[in-house]
Amino acid sequence: MKAAVKGLAFEYSAALLEYLGGGGEAALLRAYQLGRAALAEGLGVLELAALHQETLVTVLLRMLAPDESGRIAERASEFFAESLAPFEMTHRGFQEANAILRNINRELEQRVQRILTDYETARTQLAEQRRIERLKNDFISIVSHELRTPLTSIHGALGLVNAGVLARGLSPQVSQLLDVAYRNSQRLVRLVDDILDLQKIESGAMAFHLHPLEMRPLLAQAIEANHAYANGLGVRLELLEAPTETRVYADPDRLMQVMTNLLSNAAKFSPPGETVSVQWSRRAGMVRVSVTDRGPGISEEFKERIFQRFAQADASSTREKGGTGLGLSITKAIVERLGGTIGFEARPDVGTTFYFELPEWREKVQRRGGRT
Amino acid sequence: MERTLERILLVEDDPDIQIVASLALSQFGGFTVQVSGSAGEALRAAPAFAPDLILLDVMMPGMDGPSTLQALREIPAVTATPVIFMTAKILPQEVAQYRELGSLGVIAKPFDPTTLAERVRELWREHHD
């Protein structure tokens, strides 16, 4: 007990004694004021009750005859002890509840601190990831642009010689070597273009100009555009007619890029003399375009990583087929950016169908009079 | 009277690309090509050569393609001569920027030397239609 409280308690006890000894209202008022002051200074309720007990017992002892005083004082003390027991238990209960609450509070503070620390860590990691992503994109962009300048000279010079513009009458070996160099410079150009395309898609820099597109003319145009390439491989491209008018909401150039990739892949992996067929269908609000070849199918092992970058069935495939290993991952990224999905079904020695699905475009023409 | 496309001023700082592009344009397109290796050379050569079209590289040391175009517009002989940019910087926002500068279009590097002249003619025709 603090000294100030102790002093007030002592004075309060004396004032009570004075009142009980016949001190009148003045003593009662003083006792009341001292009691309030002691409580305000922090005197506990149980301590106050103990003071009352002590004062009453003292008064009783003073009033009683000496032979009775011991017994009465003992009974009075027992009575007060009994009366105070529930308060003591409640007080102890409060103390225990207080301790529990303090623990809960401490735990909550620790949890909040952990959450704040985790949040800060995640924020730092995210900022770092974004910084690395930006650095990567800048690096790819710069490297690709820097590669384009020497490639322009190499590809251009070889293209001119190979076209027979300047040097006619070259020996077959020299012509063959020039052809090798020219084809590989073309491959390098395609690789740089594909790397840039992928970087543009990933960084969100690739622009998509979306329009409602009629499927039939677009697919016919894609076949026309890839006809010469397939023809060079001895493969025919055909468009199977579908009866209904079907439209999608897409970027025509990007959709043409998707079709070119699927058609050129199908032609590359088809045996000479075979046909690659393109068809489209509508199902549950989606338009599915399928490109089917009669090639060797796709191995189980390769199926899992077919859409990954630089994922070709084997290294010789890159050499033989002249791909960059990025075409399908670009195609997948474009289809997904158009709100669609891409997949394939392959049967060994029967052929492979690559398909993509895009949401069907249905124009709602609201006219006056409620007609639609 | 509508001009025909015969004389092309090629502004390109890379000597190798100068050779390839001028050969491709003359051999496949039959154009008369004059090569300038820098903006300064182009500004000096333009009045006398009086080109029908200017093929302008974008990234050049010193004055770049867009600044060269601005300077060429100050020369009376070529103030309205159509310009096509040739560049390896072909991000969509970059291409849009070149068009805003008043060029007929953009030819991306690396270009196919066998179709370069045809591509130039296409852009020229689009401009005159």
Side-chain angles (χ1 to χ4, degrees):
Chain A
M1 201 188 295
K2 284 194 295 183
V5 179
K6 215 169 185 175
L8 283 167
F10 180 75
E11 282 183 54
Y12 170 63
S13 179
L16 268 181
L17 270 176
E18 190 185 337
Y19 168 67
L20 291 171
E25 282 193 10
L28 179 62
L29 182 64
R30 208 156 64 80
Y32 174 73
Q33 286 167 341
L34 284 163
R36 291 285 302 270
L39 284 170
E41 279 294 324
L43 182 71
V45 175
L46 286 173
E47 288 163 339
L48 186 72
L51 268 180
H52 288 168
Q53 175 189 348
E54 198 180 304
T55 309
L56 279 171
V57 170
T58 305
V59 170
L60 279 173
L61 289 175
R62 277 184 193 165
M63 288 168 67
L64 294 167
D67 58 330
E68 291 178 313
S69 62
R71 194 169 50 85
I72 299 282
E74 194 181 320
R75 291 289 303 279
S77 291
E78 282 171 6
F79 170 76
F80 276 112
E82 284 297 319
S83 304
L84 288 176
F87 294 107
E88 272 185 11
M89 287 176 74
T90 308
H91 179 63
R92 227 173 281 147
F94 279 140
Q95 282 178 325
E96 283 167 11
N98 199 27
I100 291 168
L101 281 174
R102 265 203 305 274
N103 280 340
I104 291 172
N105 199 30
R106 206 167 29 245
E107 278 174 23
L108 278 175
E109 277 176 5
Q110 285 169 353
R111 280 175 62 183
V112 167
Q113 194 54 47
R114 272 200 302 275
I115 289 167
L116 283 175
T117 311
D118 290 350
Y119 170 72
E120 202 51 45
T121 310
R123 218 165 62 118
T124 313
Q125 283 173 348
L126 187 66
E128 183 61 10
Q129 270 176 7
R130 283 186 179 152
R131 194 182 69 84
I132 291 169
E133 190 66 21
R134 207 167 41 245
L135 279 176
K136 188 196 83 178
N137 285 336
D138 288 351
F139 176 75
I140 290 172
S141 176
I142 290 167
V143 168
S144 301
H145 287 143
E146 290 307 313
L147 283 172
R148 280 172 175 272
T149 302
L151 260 178
T152 305
S153 307
I154 297 167
H155 180 64
L158 289 169
L160 286 174
V161 177
N162 215 36
V165 172
L166 301 165
R168 290 183 180 84
L170 292 172
S171 73
Q173 286 93 338
V174 172
S175 293
Q176 195 182 18
L177 286 174
L178 279 172
D179 185 51
V180 167
Y182 181 61
R183 276 190 288 105
N184 280 278
S185 75
Q186 279 180 319
R187 202 169 119 199
L188 208 48
V189 170
R190 282 199 301 274
L191 185 60
V192 171
D193 285 346
D194 281 359
I195 289 173
L196 263 183
D197 268 356
L198 210 54
Q199 182 255 346
K200 276 191 277 185
I201 293 171
E202 285 182 355
S203 66
M206 182 174 273
F208 283 80
H209 304 288
L210 304 174
H211 311 281
L213 298 172
E214 181 62 45
M215 286 315 296
R216 211 203 71 79
L218 188 125
L219 296 177
Q221 195 189 337
I223 285 186
E224 177 61 31
N226 289 281
H227 166 76
Y229 176 76
N231 206 30
L233 296 165
V235 175
R236 204 171 72 84
L237 304 180
E238 67 171 1
L239 178 61
L240 303 178
E241 287 298 328
T244 53
E245 189 181 80
T246 311
R247 288 199 288 179
V248 294
Y249 192 60
D251 180 319
D253 293 338
R254 297 300 164 207
L255 211 48
M256 194 58 81
Q257 194 175 351
V258 166
M259 283 308 297
T260 297
N261 179 267
L262 297 181
L263 285 171
S264 60
N265 270 355
K268 265 187 280 188
F269 290 97
S270 291
E274 284 292 355
T275 300
V276 168
S277 33
V278 176
Q279 57 185 323
W280 78 98
S281 58
R282 296 156 73 185
R283 192 172 56 182
M286 302 296 280
V287 176
R288 174 183 281 217
V289 178
S290 309
V291 177
T292 303
D293 66 46
R294 313 281 186 272
I298 300 166
S299 72
E300 286 302 318
E301 185 268 331
F302 185 49
K303 280 179 183 173
E304 286 175 16
R305 53 189 181 88
I306 195 162
F307 290 111
Q308 290 173 12
R309 297 173 205 178
F310 299 110
Q312 292 195 322
D314 54 64
S316 65
S317 168
T318 316
R319 269 196 313 277
E320 284 172 20
K321 308 294 182 189
T324 62
L326 290 171
L328 276 177
S329 55
I330 292 172
T331 299
K332 182 172 186 281
I334 291 174
V335 169
E336 286 176 355
R337 176 70 177 69
L338 292 171
T341 53
I342 189 166
F344 61 90
E345 287 156 8
R347 284 190 293 165
D349 299 322
V350 175
T352 304
T353 297
F354 272 90
Y355 60 83
F356 63 88
E357 289 186 346
L358 295 176
E360 185 177 2
W361 169 257
R362 285 198 183 100
E363 197 170 13
K364 287 177 187 160
V365 186
Q366 297 285 346
R367 292 187 183 153
R368 282 179 193 170
R371 283 193 301 152
T372 57
Chain B
M1 192 180 74
E2 195 170 291
R3 291 185 74 158
T4 51
L5 179 56
E6 288 169 3
R7 300 163 72 77
I8 295 178
L9 178 64
L10 171 67
V11 189
E12 166 65 62
D13 68 301
D14 188 304
D16 295 335
I17 299 177
Q18 287 173 5
I19 296 168
V20 170
S22 57
L23 264 175
L25 290 166
S26 57
Q27 294 291 326
F28 286 92
F31 301 122
T32 304
V33 182
Q34 173 146 341
V35 178
S36 296
S38 67
E41 270 184 43
L43 295 172
R44 284 191 294 277
F49 183 61
D52 302 316
L53 178 92
I54 300 167
L55 265 181
L56 188 51
D57 183 24
V58 171
M59 287 186 289
M60 292 190 290
M63 202 185 276
D64 66 3
S67 310
T68 308
L69 175 57
Q70 266 187 333
L72 284 165
R73 292 297 181 230
E74 303 294 319
I75 299 171
V78 287
T79 193
T81 306
V83 167
I84 295 172
F85 280 115
M86 281 205 307
T87 179
K89 288 168 83 75
I90 49 154
L91 289 179
Q93 64 268 30
E94 291 166 341
V95 173
Q97 189 201 339
Y98 306 143
R99 284 191 186 279
E100 276 171 24
L101 290 170
S103 68
L104 296 192
V106 179
I107 291 178
K109 290 179 185 173
F111 49 80
D112 182 340
T114 60
T115 59
L116 176 66
E118 187 45 42
R119 182 78 190 113
V120 168
R121 274 199 200 284
E122 262 177 33
L123 289 170
W124 169 270
R125 274 199 294 271
E126 281 171 22
H127 173 65
H128 285 84
D129 282 348

